[in-house]
Amino acid sequence: MAGLGPHWGFIVAAYLVTAVVVLGLIVWIRADLAAQRRTLKDLEARGLRRRSDAAKAAAPAEAAMPAEAE
């Protein structure tokens, strides 16, 4: 570690702490994603639907109506 100079311990520790924090965030985000998907699946099983589904169903009807000429 002589190439890092007299502060090599601090440099290595900083990289290790950063790696642990980034990996922890990745694990946390993946766990939260799984929880959100389980919640969404449960809500859909109970009959609740997303608002975007209604918007997609209404979009073709709105596109078929002629626009008013100004």
Side-chain angles (χ1 to χ4, degrees), residues 22-63:
V22 169
L23 289 174
L25 287 171
I26 290 169
V27 169
W28 181 26
I29 289 169
R30 290 187 60 103
D32 186 55
L33 176 63
Q36 294 296 326
R37 285 184 175 166
R38 279 192 307 272
T39 302
L40 182 59
K41 192 175 185 180
D42 180 49
L43 290 171
E44 287 180 345
R46 290 194 222 169
L48 296 174
R49 298 286 179 238
R50 296 182 222 180
R51 284 185 239 161
S52 61
D53 289 344
K56 288 177 187 175
E62 291 174 2

